[in-house]
Amino acid sequence: MMTKMKTPLHQKHCDLGARMVDFNGWEMPLKYTSILDEHRAVRTNAGIFDVSHMGRVLFQGPEAEKFVDYISTNRIVGKLDGTATYTVFLNESGGAVDDAIIYKEGPTSFFTVVNAGNRKKDLDHFLEISKNFDVSVIHRYDADGILAVQGPKALPLIHEIFPETESLKPFQFMTVSVNGEKVIVSRTGYTGEEGAELYAPLSIIPNLWDLFMDKGKTYDLQPIGLGARDTLRLEMGYALYGHELSDTISPLESVSSWTIKLKDRNFYGKEALVSLKENGKRRHTYAVVLKDKGIAREGYSVFFGNEEIGIVTSGTMSPSTQQAIALILVKKPFEKGDEVTIQVRNKMCPAEIVSLPFYKS
């Protein structure tokens, strides 16, 4: 049996009474108290997440900017130093290798953070394409850890610990120092709330965690597991790789379609994306709210009349709106207000197409 990987905070999670689960080969906290309690903590106060299972990859060299623009659906060329851009990496057939944020440190220095289950696949993808560019691809998988601090009280807490970050705007980042070690603080997140993500050497991640847990007492900071992380992102309609995006689900068909910038640029997988756009085989992602009792889970069938038209990619009971919400991937186009039917076990539940996000603060 393969040994599960652990972050430097594993023992701290266990000491806090976390329920640990397997997540892409990592032993990670699903919850500490309850998913509902932790979800509400992030929406009303502040929460801290250990996301050190994700991996940071550096792109450095004279053609670094040209390279990251070529591997991205979104435009990276011309972005300001110290800014972050959400994008999708494509395979040759136009499917998604991964979705990620690209950070620009300078014209010759960028980095990205890949999803835990895609570490090897993404690195292989980057290395193969980099052969045609004057750029070095360097992974920090065994060197860096990541924390996320999110919620209405997150920024005041972050500013108390790092006053220099008060000037940061959303999707900007800067470097601060902790005990002589470089820590990157980025105004990004996956919850729809204000906050930041912190990238630091694995050796100081436990110290950073303790610092935030101590200073965070006056901000009602709580540790948050992967369960609430998922319900928080779904309320915002954010994509989760393996659900709304995959090797066979193109960003053109997903909630990440807005990242695609086709005009006046070439990028890896573009031809397949254009072909999908024009050949009439493109599927569509919509947000729905169930109108009957029941929760639509991943993989449940979606119908229009008697015709099966697609599947649920993600679904839950929204803690914030108290509605059963879902994202669906279907082969028919719809408008807001239209209705489909979702098979929830043996029951056919009507669901209404709505606009995103499901939750508005």
Side-chain angles (χ1 to χ4, degrees):
M1 182 180 289
M2 185 179 293
T3 303
K4 292 185 179 69
M5 294 173 283
K6 300 175 182 178
T7 77
L9 298 174
H10 182 271
Q11 189 57 52
K12 291 184 183 292
H13 299 317
C14 293
D15 292 344
L16 286 165
R19 178 185 168 192
M20 306 300 286
V21 296
D22 174 76
F23 184 78
N24 290 311
W26 291 79
E27 194 169 334
M28 297 295 292
L30 175 70
K31 60 181 180 178
Y32 301 85
T33 53
S34 74
I35 292 173
L36 182 60
D37 176 60
E38 291 169 25
H39 181 108
R40 288 173 174 163
V42 176
R43 288 281 183 246
T44 58
N45 297 310
I48 184 167
F49 305 75
D50 176 15
V51 284
S52 298
H53 58 315
M54 301 179 76
R56 198 160 74 98
V57 182
L58 316 183
F59 309 115
Q60 298 177 341
E63 292 189 318
E65 185 169 57
K66 186 178 177 183
F67 171 74
V68 293
D69 192 75
Y70 183 68
I71 62 172
S72 301
T73 55
N74 212 336
R75 190 184 304 274
I76 308 298
V77 166
K79 299 289 185 180
L80 297 175
D81 295 355
T83 60
T85 306
Y86 175 66
T87 191
V88 179
F89 309 125
L90 297 179
N91 57 32
E92 285 185 341
S93 59
V97 174
D98 207 351
D99 65 326
I101 294 175
I102 287 184
Y103 300 79
K104 182 178 182 179
E105 294 182 296
T108 61
S109 182
F110 295 76
F111 70 88
T112 192
V113 178
V114 302
N115 284 302
N118 293 337
R119 280 182 169 213
K120 183 182 185 304
K121 181 181 72 168
D122 287 8
L123 187 60
D124 289 346
H125 180 73
F126 300 148
L127 288 170
E128 181 61 31
I129 299 175
S130 72
K131 293 175 182 177
N132 299 314
F133 294 84
D134 187 359
V135 63
S136 296
V137 177
I138 307 156
H139 78 78
R140 299 275 300 175
Y141 293 170
D142 304 318
D144 289 348
I146 308 168
L147 300 178
V149 184
Q150 302 279 298
K153 297 181 182 179
L155 284 182
L157 169 59
I158 293 163
H159 295 159
E160 179 182 335
I161 296 173
F162 303 118
E164 61 268 49
T165 63
E166 288 191 24
S167 63
L168 282 180
K169 294 181 173 60
F171 281 81
Q172 292 182 348
F173 67 97
M174 67 166 50
T175 300
V176 299
S177 180
V178 176
N179 298 327
E181 294 280 7
K182 173 182 171 182
V183 176
I184 295 170
V185 181
S186 170
R187 279 283 307 275
T188 48
Y190 196 47
T191 65
E193 299 295 337
E194 291 190 326
E197 293 166 317
L198 298 94
Y199 307 97
L202 284 173
S203 60
I204 68 165
I205 285 291
N207 293 337
L208 266 182
W209 175 275
D210 289 344
L211 176 62
F212 272 91
M213 289 292 285
D214 179 52
K215 296 286 188 183
K217 290 174 184 174
T218 55
Y219 297 89
D220 301 306
L221 181 75
Q222 286 184 219
I224 312 295
L226 294 180
R229 182 174 169 83
D230 189 50
T231 56
L232 289 159
R233 71 90 194 170
L234 184 50
E235 284 188 344
M236 302 310 297
Y238 296 157
L240 174 62
Y241 190 85
H243 293 248
E244 286 68 49
L245 290 166
S246 73
D247 290 316
T248 57
I249 301 176
S250 168
L252 188 65
E253 303 173 307
S254 81
V255 290
S256 300
S257 60
W258 64 271
T259 68
I260 299 168
K261 305 296 190 295
L262 293 171
K263 189 176 179 182
D264 300 328
R265 58 188 294 264
N266 186 35
F267 54 88
Y268 192 86
K270 179 180 178 180
E271 288 184 11
L273 213 60
V274 172
S275 176
L276 178 63
K277 189 174 183 179
E278 296 175 349
N279 67 15
K281 295 181 180 179
R282 169 190 175 188
R283 295 165 296 181
H284 311 269
T285 288
Y286 295 103
V288 299
V289 171
L290 273 64
K291 302 181 76 174
D292 257 353
K293 287 184 178 179
I295 299 176
R297 301 294 187 188
E298 176 197 4
Y300 284 8
S301 296
V302 180
F303 292 82
F304 184 68
N306 294 322
E307 181 187 4
E308 186 172 350
I309 58 171
I311 60 168
V312 173
T313 57
S314 293
T316 193
M317 174 61 69
S318 164
S320 301
T321 69
Q322 290 298 297
Q323 294 175 311
I325 62 174
L327 294 174
I328 60 173
L329 179 66
V330 295
K331 61 185 180 181
K332 291 178 68 72
F334 290 99
E335 300 288 338
K336 180 182 175 182
D338 289 346
E339 281 195 13
V340 296
T341 307
I342 298 174
Q343 185 173 354
V344 179
R345 297 189 178 90
N346 298 319
K347 180 182 176 183
M348 303 301 286
C349 293
E352 181 181 349
I353 307 289
V354 299
S355 58
L356 288 172
F358 293 107
Y359 168 75
K360 300 176 179 66
S361 57

